[in-house]
Amino acid sequence: MLRNSFILLCLMISSSFAQSLEEIINSAINNNRDLQSIEKSIQIANEQIKLSNKWDNPILTIGANDLHFDTSRRDLEPMQVQYLGFSQSIPINDKFSLQKDIAVNDKNIAQLNYEDAKLKLKSKLIEYLYSIKILENKYLLLNEYQKNIKNLEDLTTSLYENSKSNQSMIIDLKTDYLKVEVQKQNLKNIINNNYLKLEEITYEKVSSIDVMLDVKELILVREISTHPKIKILEQNSEKFNKQALLEDAKKLSDVKLNVAYFQRDDKYKDYANVSLSIPLALYGKENIKILQAKIKASEFKDKLEDKKKSFELKIASLQNDLNSTYKKYQLFKDMIIPLQENNQKTIEKYNSLGITQPNEILKNLNKIIKNQIAAYDEMKSYFDAYAQSYYFTQGKIR
């Protein structure tokens, strides 16, 4: 009976769980404030792309010179003029194209940050959902364990009254009962806090989780080139290479066109001024900025190689964790627990023949429950590794 109950708790994840998980993930994605904040950075990047092709606003100048105290007289001398001026910076040397490319890099980085944040969120949700369900099942087993200890205590008390046991045995059982109560309180606290963490990232109160658990051999796909974290570093390196090109293009600075019309008294002819302002790159400021951008691009390239290696090792480590916890769980489920259940049948048979005492039945039942709890510990380690693997493999697990 216990074996059947245990197996039922360890069946494959049902389709209803998949839908339930999907609903929780969608709710978290729609409501999570961090994701909403990153979405706004994507919108800002879109506007920056539009801005990258915009010319600087022209400058309109209106004025008058050689003002005398008698401001009504504007015919005293030829230099007295009213004028209207217009200035416009004219971009040259393909700067707009480079500025747009850099803005596109920034947008790509914002989108990749969003995808990375979603992966982390899904990974965390999976961790909490599995953890809660496993701990709730452990809590139920601890209830059964306490009942058996209580029955064993009652039986020992009865034997004590007939001088067939001692008081020390009763005290030990009472202590065992209270120790289990402490374990239950610890579990309950962890479960309650996990529900709060779930609410924190979903912005919805989750009262219960209806999932079934499946422990099976898994293979992690070690394709990391498409991971958002890797792509972000690639985009940053590319961005600063383009920044270096932009700084080089700035050696030929934008030309500023100035046009002004000067109006004079009727005694004198009006005239116009036209000029070009061309900043000269004489002091090497642009060369320093080029070098800074190239160093930054190289820095991100180094970080990229380091991150790739880190991801490869992390996935390999998680694969080891999954393999190890799977094997240990199988030992409990397929060998240790069945052996004790067979032993239970033998003890019950001997008890019916009067060869063993009834308390041996309860003691062995508690051993079975202890090993079921130990199996859940391995299951939790398995699903913790699975949740982390989801992030590093982008859910590519088979």
Side-chain angles (χ1 to χ4, degrees), residues 10 28 42 85 126 154 156 176 204 226 244 276 302 346-347 359 369:
C10 305
I42 296 172
I126 291 170
D154 292 341
T156 305
D176 289 343
E204 289 186 356
T226 59
L276 288 176
D302 291 341
T346 302
I347 292 171
N359 62 341
I369 293 172

Side-chain angles (χ1 to χ4, degrees), residues 93-95 98-99 102 239-253 281 284-294:
N93 207 17
D94 203 30
K95 297 186 192 73
L98 288 167
Q99 286 175 176
I102 291 169
K239 170 187 168 181
F240 281 100
N241 278 324
K242 288 175 181 173
Q243 185 67 43
L245 293 175
L246 177 60
E247 295 301 333
D248 187 54
K250 285 180 179 179
K251 287 181 179 180
L252 292 176
S253 302
K285 183 178 179 181
E286 290 79 10
N287 289 333
I288 294 172
K289 289 186 176 181
I290 291 169
L291 182 59
Q292 285 177 329
K294 286 182 176 179

Side-chain angles (χ1 to χ4, degrees), residues 129-141 187-188 191 195 207-210:
L129 288 169
Y130 281 115
S131 177
I132 289 169
K133 189 59 183 177
I134 291 167
L135 295 178
E136 285 177 340
N137 287 348
K138 279 183 66 176
Y139 190 89
L140 294 176
L141 283 174
L187 270 184
K188 193 64 178 175
I191 291 167
Y195 271 115
S207 57
S208 63
I209 298 171
D210 183 19

Side-chain angles (χ1 to χ4, degrees), residues 111-245:
Q111 289 176 326
L112 289 165
N113 277 325
Y114 181 77
E115 294 302 319
D116 187 61
K118 279 204 302 185
L119 271 178
K120 287 179 180 176
L121 183 63
K122 290 179 182 179
S123 173
K124 201 49 86 170
L125 284 169
I126 291 170
E127 178 187 341
Y128 290 150
L129 288 169
Y130 281 115
S131 177
I132 289 169
K133 189 59 183 177
I134 291 167
L135 295 178
E136 285 177 340
N137 287 348
K138 279 183 66 176
Y139 190 89
L140 294 176
L141 283 174
L142 287 176
N143 280 337
E144 292 299 314
Y145 190 36
Q146 271 189 319
K147 287 178 184 177
N148 286 339
I149 293 174
K150 183 62 178 171
N151 290 336
L152 194 54
E153 181 190 339
D154 292 341
L155 180 59
T156 305
T157 301
S158 176
L159 292 171
Y160 174 73
E161 290 170 354
N162 293 296
S163 301
K164 293 183 179 180
S165 70
N166 58 61
Q167 195 170 17
S168 177
M169 294 172 63
I170 299 172
I171 293 172
D172 286 342
L173 288 168
K174 287 181 181 292
T175 302
D176 289 343
Y177 185 93
L178 292 173
K179 285 180 179 178
V180 175
E181 188 63 32
V182 170
Q183 291 181 53
K184 284 172 59 181
Q185 288 300 319
N186 287 335
L187 270 184
K188 193 64 178 175
N189 184 57
I190 296 171
I191 291 167
N192 290 338
N193 284 337
N194 277 349
Y195 271 115
L196 290 175
K197 289 174 183 176
L198 201 57
E199 184 178 348
E200 181 182 7
I201 58 178
T202 60
Y203 292 87
E204 289 186 356
K205 188 171 182 63
V206 181
S207 57
S208 63
I209 298 171
D210 183 19
V211 300
M212 298 183 71
L213 304 167
D214 176 32
V215 177
K216 58 185 178 182
E217 286 188 282
L218 295 175
I219 299 175
L220 306 181
V221 177
R222 303 188 185 192
E223 175 51 60
I224 62 173
S225 62
T226 59
H227 196 283
K229 211 69 174 176
I230 301 296
K231 302 297 288 183
I232 286 169
L233 293 170
E234 289 177 348
Q235 286 290 317
N236 270 304
S237 182
E238 184 180 323
K239 170 187 168 181
F240 281 100
N241 278 324
K242 288 175 181 173
Q243 185 67 43
L245 293 175

Side-chain angles (χ1 to χ4, degrees), residues 341-355:
E341 287 175 339
N342 287 334
N343 189 43
Q344 182 71 13
K345 292 177 183 177
T346 302
I347 292 171
E348 289 173 355
K349 181 179 178 182
Y350 285 166
N351 181 67
S352 65
L353 298 173
I355 299 174

